[in-house]
Amino acid sequence: MTIYTVEVSGRPVAAMQSTSLGEAEEFLRSDAFLNDLTIYEMEGGEPGEPIWDGEAEILVRESFPDEVEVWERIRAKAVRDGDADPDDENFLTYLRGVREIE
């Protein structure tokens, strides 16, 4: 399996494991995921500004090695803490902290 990253306006936002780029794109461009991007703000971004404004360019691509390392570290912690199933083949994580916009 490969790790894929979604970029919003050239900024890497989230990474997920998937069997193919097409499968990753299908999820990362789904209405449910895109909706999440409009209600969360990202650590290091402008306070109160959503990750995605509903118009900015979205790109799904194979992850860079540093993004894979972040994904692996967060996934291992989630499995260790019981927050993720070790067999989950489509684990997704944000690459930086996010919180719901107040």
Side-chain angles (χ1 to χ4, degrees):
M1 289 235 193
T2 304
I3 311 300
Y4 296 94
T5 293
V6 62
E7 287 185 2
V8 177
S9 297
R11 177 178 61 172
V13 170
M16 74 174 292
Q17 182 178 15
S18 187
T19 57
S20 69
L21 176 59
E23 183 179 277
E25 283 184 319
E26 185 177 325
F27 177 81
L28 295 169
R29 292 180 185 274
S30 70
D31 289 341
F33 183 72
L34 293 177
N35 182 63
D36 285 351
L37 296 180
T38 66
I39 62 171
Y40 292 120
E41 61 185 11
M42 184 163 258
E43 182 180 292
E46 287 293 318
E49 187 174 302
I51 296 170
W52 184 54
D53 64 6
E55 296 179 14
E57 179 182 11
I58 292 180
L59 172 72
V60 179
R61 58 163 172 76
E62 195 167 320
S63 298
F64 298 140
D66 61 323
E67 295 162 345
V68 172
E69 287 177 23
V70 171
W71 180 89
E72 289 173 339
R73 181 175 38 81
I74 293 172
R75 182 177 187 278
K77 182 178 183 329
V79 168
R80 201 172 43 249
D81 293 348
D83 296 328
D85 183 339
D87 297 325
D88 181 2
E89 295 184 354
N90 295 312
F91 182 82
L92 174 128
T93 188
Y94 288 94
L95 296 170
R96 302 178 103 186
V98 298
R99 66 175 175 231
E100 196 166 340
I101 296 172
E102 296 181 21

